[in-house]
Amino acid sequence: MKQNMMPQAFHVMTKPIGPICNLDCEYCFYLDKEKLYPNTQSFRMTDELLENYVRQYIEAQQINEVTFAWQGGEPTLMGVDFFRRAVEYQYKYRRPGMRIQNTFQTNATLIDDEWATFFKRNNFLIGVSIDGPPELHDKYRYDKRGRPSSDAVIRGLEFLQKHEVDYNILCVLNDYNGDFPLEVYRYFKALGAQFLQFIPAVEHLGGKNVTDRSIRARQYGQFLCAIFDEWVVNDIGKIFVQIFDISLEAWLGYPPSLCIFSETCGNAMAIEHNGDLYSCDHYVDPNYYLGNIMETPLKEMVESPFQRKFGTDKKDTLPQYCRECEVRFVCHGGCPKNRFIKTPAGEEGLNYLCAGYKMFFNHIDQPMKLMCAAIQAGRPADSIMPLMRQKKQQQQVPQRVGRNSPCPCGSGKKYKQCCLKKTGIS
């Protein structure tokens, strides 16, 4: 009997406009995918293909909560009517009791009242790409004429806020903004954003080489540590940072829900404007072409031996250095696309960001354990913030403070009767 290789749930990033975009961001890895289709006159997904895809995607899912992820390029270039039809097809083909969700990744420069009204009415979750304050964002994110894009992005974000559309911020970390963690984090807070994702830009040039724009591994770790230290004393339960949430899952004993940190992958594919399916958004390459949904059923490609092996290779090719690592339970080697450097022992397959991951995950170990203990005791995670503030104050106490001196925390008590006593030092 044939073993069922179909995952309970799988995810497809949908590229209805392919790699076409109205911006020309320097680090964008997807713009050159246009070269895969050299004779293509139009990168717009047809209505026939859209309906076929929606039907197949729904039919292939074995769960009753299905998420459509719309990306690009820049998906707003398709026009709002395309997505109205997509929603109509979703209602047409969904099973009784099935919940349909839509996520939409955009640079926000074309969002207006019409778009925001549509998103709100249909409960779309919008991912807005912003790389920090204008002086940081505009370093690499500009339009086809080289003009800065930050003003247009903020204008689009304000339309989303005006219509109370759910959104999160996706910030690409590069060599430039990676040196300004608190400026970036506080800027997003000032915008009113509550949900943040920080995505490291790693542009591989072959061997161990990356572009100058790429964030450095330790720079990435230092960035995450800096914003975590601010978040853990002020913003638990108010600001939600994806990598912090994923980390807490791991410390609680749950498998990480984000593919880059899961033990295996292969359940997040990408579909192009013409129906071509690829193993992953980062592997839109002829070597990882699975087929076309107009010729081969989506379900068959998802459960193909090639795709299942693509997913298990992440675990099976993990270097010994990673298998013995103290933070493997949360990292699992990271995304395979970044596993191109050697371990200290010379073994191939170490993640370029390894030093940053190790720095960050070790840095957050104690507060993560405190949050886990609070949750397991029935208390909210933010209940640890007073303790974390206290620890921060203790770390800032100058060495010259005497036992009988006023406590620097401002309590009015002597240092020995206040923060020194709380440290357990007699």
Side-chain angles (χ1 to χ4, degrees):
M1 181 180 295
K2 180 183 177 181
Q3 183 180 4
N4 180 18
M5 298 292 288
M6 190 72 178
Q8 281 293 309
F10 67 92
H11 187 69
V12 176
M13 295 183 182
T14 314
K15 313 278 188 175
I17 196 71
I20 305 304
C21 187
N22 62 323
L23 296 187
D24 200 17
C25 305
E26 280 193 37
Y27 56 68
C28 181
F29 71 94
Y30 218 83
L31 292 179
D32 67 350
K33 301 304 178 185
E34 190 172 349
K35 298 174 185 175
L36 289 173
Y37 305 98
N39 299 316
T40 298
Q41 299 299 314
S42 172
F43 281 84
R44 298 178 64 86
M45 182 177 283
T46 66
D47 191 70
E48 177 189 12
L49 180 57
L50 172 64
E51 181 172 10
N52 197 333
Y53 167 61
V54 170
R55 176 184 60 78
Q56 288 195 46
Y57 189 59
I58 289 175
E59 289 178 352
Q61 298 286 351
Q62 299 186 43
I63 57 174
N64 269 346
E65 185 167 313
V66 177
T67 298
F68 285 81
W70 306 99
Q71 298 197 358
E74 176 47 47
T76 53
L77 293 173
M78 289 297 295
V80 70
D81 285 342
F82 174 87
F83 294 98
R84 289 192 176 105
R85 293 194 297 276
V87 171
E88 290 172 1
Y89 294 140
Q90 290 170 1
Y91 275 92
K92 178 178 179 180
Y93 291 108
R94 69 176 183 175
R95 298 188 293 268
M98 175 174 278
R99 182 184 179 198
I100 303 287
Q101 295 181 305
N102 287 277
T103 64
F104 192 99
Q105 178 60 36
T106 176
N107 59 42
T109 59
L110 301 178
I111 291 177
D112 55 15
D113 277 317
E114 182 182 22
W115 274 109
T117 299
F118 168 78
F119 290 146
K120 180 63 177 179
R121 182 174 296 145
N122 294 283
N123 299 312
F124 274 53
L125 172 62
I126 311 303
V128 179
S129 295
I130 309 178
D131 288 353
E135 63 272 18
L136 301 180
H137 173 94
D138 290 331
K139 173 70 173 179
Y140 295 126
R141 296 184 64 86
Y142 38 77
D143 67 15
K144 300 295 185 183
R145 295 171 61 183
R147 298 174 300 186
S149 64
S150 56
D151 287 348
V153 175
I154 296 303
R155 183 174 62 248
L157 177 63
E158 288 172 348
F159 278 113
L160 297 177
Q161 293 173 329
K162 170 186 172 183
H163 290 270
E164 299 181 336
V165 176
D166 291 334
Y167 71 92
N168 54 36
I169 297 294
L170 275 71
C171 173
V172 175
L173 298 179
N174 52 65
D175 71 305
Y176 191 62
N177 64 359
D179 282 338
F180 301 93
L182 296 184
E183 291 85 349
V184 170
Y185 181 70
R186 291 169 183 170
Y187 177 74
F188 292 150
K189 285 178 62 176
L191 289 178
Q194 290 182 284
F195 299 90
L196 310 177
Q197 297 180 35
F198 294 100
I199 304 168
V202 180
E203 298 177 287
H204 187 202
L205 295 175
K208 295 183 180 180
N209 298 320
V210 297
T211 63
D212 291 339
R213 293 185 297 265
S214 298
I215 194 163
R216 300 176 300 279
R218 292 190 62 81
Q219 181 187 27
Y220 178 53
Q222 290 164 353
F223 183 100
L224 295 177
C225 289
I227 64 171
F228 182 87
D229 288 348
E230 174 137 331
W231 174 83
V232 82
V233 298
N234 296 314
D235 297 324
I236 300 176
K238 294 186 292 185
I239 304 295
F240 300 88
V241 180
Q242 184 186 55
I243 193 169
F244 301 170
D245 292 343
I246 297 299
S247 298
L248 185 57
E249 288 178 349
W251 260 267
L252 284 167
Y254 299 111
S257 57
L258 187 65
C259 64
I260 63 171
F261 294 133
S262 63
E263 190 171 30
T264 61
C265 58
N267 295 333
M269 287 141 281
I271 192 168
E272 268 290 338
H273 64 288
N274 66 343
D276 286 348
L277 188 72
Y278 293 87
S279 290
C280 173
D281 183 42
H282 291 284
Y283 287 84
V284 176
D285 175 276
N287 293 326
Y288 295 92
Y289 172 70
L290 299 175
N292 187 289
I293 65 166
M294 301 298 280
E295 301 167 356
T296 307
L298 176 63
K299 181 177 183 295
E300 184 177 318
M301 291 185 281
V302 171
E303 62 185 2
S304 68
F306 179 89
Q307 183 62 11
R308 294 303 95 206
K309 184 178 184 300
F310 172 83
T312 57
D313 276 351
K314 179 182 180 183
K315 175 183 177 182
D316 295 342
T317 61
L318 204 62
Q320 185 70 22
Y321 182 77
C322 294
R323 294 198 295 271
E324 297 173 351
C325 179
E326 71 277 7
V327 297
R328 177 189 172 183
F329 73 100
V330 60
C331 172
H332 292 297
C335 184
K337 77 178 180 67
N338 293 331
R339 284 164 50 174
F340 54 79
I341 65 173
K342 293 182 179 181
T343 70
E347 190 177 2
E348 299 284 355
L350 184 64
N351 198 301
Y352 166 81
L353 296 169
C354 174
Y357 285 142
K358 291 193 76 166
M359 176 193 301
F360 172 64
F361 291 132
N362 279 296
H363 180 77
I364 67 174
D365 181 61
Q366 184 185 31
M368 280 292 162
K369 287 176 178 175
L370 290 173
M371 278 191 279
C372 289
I375 292 169
Q376 289 162 352
R379 301 191 305 273
D382 63 8
S383 64
I384 76 162
M385 286 200 296
L387 177 61
M388 298 310 299
R389 292 192 195 107
Q390 176 185 312
K391 288 181 178 293
K392 183 176 181 179
Q393 290 169 348
Q394 291 167 2
Q395 292 168 356
Q396 295 171 344
V397 173
Q399 291 297 316
R400 66 177 179 272
V401 175
R403 292 167 55 82
N404 292 311
S405 300
C407 189
C409 76
S411 66
K413 299 179 181 180
K414 292 182 178 181
Y415 178 46
K416 68 180 180 182
Q417 296 171 335
C418 189
C419 286
L420 180 62
K421 184 178 181 181
K422 292 172 184 176
T423 66
I425 300 174
S426 57

